[in-house]
Amino acid sequence: MQLSWRRLAPDESNPELLWLSVSLGGLAAAATWRALHLPWPHCFFLAITGHPCVGCGGTRAAVQFFHANFSASWHWNPLAFVFLCFITLFDVYAAIVLWLRVPRLRIGFTAAEGNWVRAVVICLLALNWMYLLSRPAGTF
């Protein structure tokens, strides 16, 4: 893995601005949805099979996360909690980089390292799904 700090090239896309906008837009959309008292979406996989999918509990985990109830967020969906922590850290990084116009962190992977990262992600998804499937019936 190669880490480097460099400035944005003139014609280079700006992933920090893009993903900060996407995450803040998603947060604004969720806040608007909640303010309008619209019903939260339901899992089709759960409705069809009676078993939770790998993302079940993610919405409840996000609500608990944004209410600073981190243990409840972890309880609903550990992988969603870790993802929300990562997004929060990334948003802070992106805001600092954009505001101060400092060099940006770039991470490069070799092909073998990329395969290893993909395998870790698949294992984390499988472990999270096993955790959700081990929960008592009717939890979701």
Side-chain angles (χ1 to χ4, degrees):
M1 177 170 48
Q2 181 181 356
L3 300 175
S4 64
W5 291 91
R6 64 178 178 79
R7 297 208 177 271
L8 198 61
D11 293 336
E12 186 179 2
S13 65
N14 192 341
E16 287 83 4
L17 178 61
L18 172 69
W19 292 112
L20 179 64
S21 300
V22 167
S23 67
L24 293 179
L27 180 61
T32 302
W33 190 280
R34 187 162 172 92
L36 295 174
H37 302 290
L38 296 172
W40 289 110
H42 295 281
C43 178
F44 293 118
F45 186 85
L46 178 65
I48 292 170
T49 66
H51 299 289
C53 73
V54 73
C56 272
T59 302
R60 293 176 189 165
V63 169
Q64 294 300 320
F65 184 86
F66 289 114
H67 283 99
N69 191 350
F70 301 122
S71 63
S73 178
W74 175 270
H75 175 74
W76 279 112
N77 189 315
L79 198 57
F81 173 77
V82 170
F83 180 74
L84 290 165
C85 289
F86 172 78
I87 291 297
T88 301
L89 292 174
F90 178 83
D91 284 354
V92 169
Y93 153 78
I96 290 170
V97 164
L98 292 168
W99 183 303
L100 299 178
R101 294 189 173 112
V102 295
R104 288 125 191 268
L105 176 64
R106 294 297 180 251
I107 303 171
F109 293 106
T110 65
E113 291 168 338
N115 289 336
W116 185 83
V117 169
R118 282 187 278 283
V120 168
V121 168
I122 290 169
C123 287
L124 288 174
L125 287 168
L127 287 170
N128 191 65
W129 199 9
M130 286 189 287
Y131 167 77
L132 295 175
L133 288 170
S134 72
R135 305 281 308 277
T139 300
F140 297 99

